[in-house]
Amino acid sequence: IRLSLPPLTEERRRDLTKTVGKKMEEARIFVRKIRDEERKDIQQSEQESKISENQKFSDFKRLDAFVEETNKKIAEIAEKKEKEIMTI
């Protein structure tokens, strides 16, 4: 099966880059939601005396580093996709 697709117009390319931006923001929101859930779990574990206060802060630090790294990857992927869309 062959599909013949016309080339994208400049306006359509801009619309697609806006969509990429929206999807990137949705991904960041999802990551923040997961981070908040994990922070609550860590705090609850500390309150139940399953982990120490030092361990809690260590876990928070690792979690924040992971979230930061994930957000960088999301931004890199979005930037790469935007460049791909805008090239003719």
Side-chain angles (χ1 to χ4, degrees):
I1 297 175
R2 284 186 140 176
L3 295 176
S4 178
L5 299 174
L8 296 174
T9 63
E10 185 68 27
E11 183 179 334
R12 182 68 181 139
R13 289 177 195 276
R14 288 188 195 134
D15 290 341
L16 288 174
T17 56
K18 287 179 186 178
T19 303
V20 168
K22 289 177 186 177
K23 295 294 182 183
M24 179 182 69
E25 190 58 35
E26 289 174 8
R28 285 182 173 172
I29 290 169
F30 182 75
V31 168
R32 282 196 303 264
K33 189 182 297 184
I34 297 296
R35 180 198 61 199
D36 292 342
E37 291 173 7
E38 288 301 315
R39 287 182 74 89
K40 286 178 186 177
D41 289 345
I42 292 169
Q43 284 182 338
Q44 187 167 0
S45 294
E46 194 258 337
Q47 288 174 354
E48 294 172 354
S49 299
K50 292 182 180 178
I51 60 174
S52 67
E53 188 174 356
N54 289 339
Q55 181 66 38
K56 177 181 84 168
F57 289 119
S58 174
D59 289 348
F60 281 167
K61 192 173 185 178
R62 286 187 315 179
L63 181 63
D64 289 340
F66 178 75
V67 168
E68 186 177 323
E69 180 182 325
T70 303
N71 282 333
K72 284 181 184 179
K73 287 180 183 179
I74 291 170
E76 288 173 4
I77 292 169
E79 184 179 325
K80 181 180 174 185
K81 186 51 84 172
E82 286 176 358
K83 284 181 184 178
E84 181 182 324
I85 289 171
M86 292 307 289
T87 57
I88 298 175

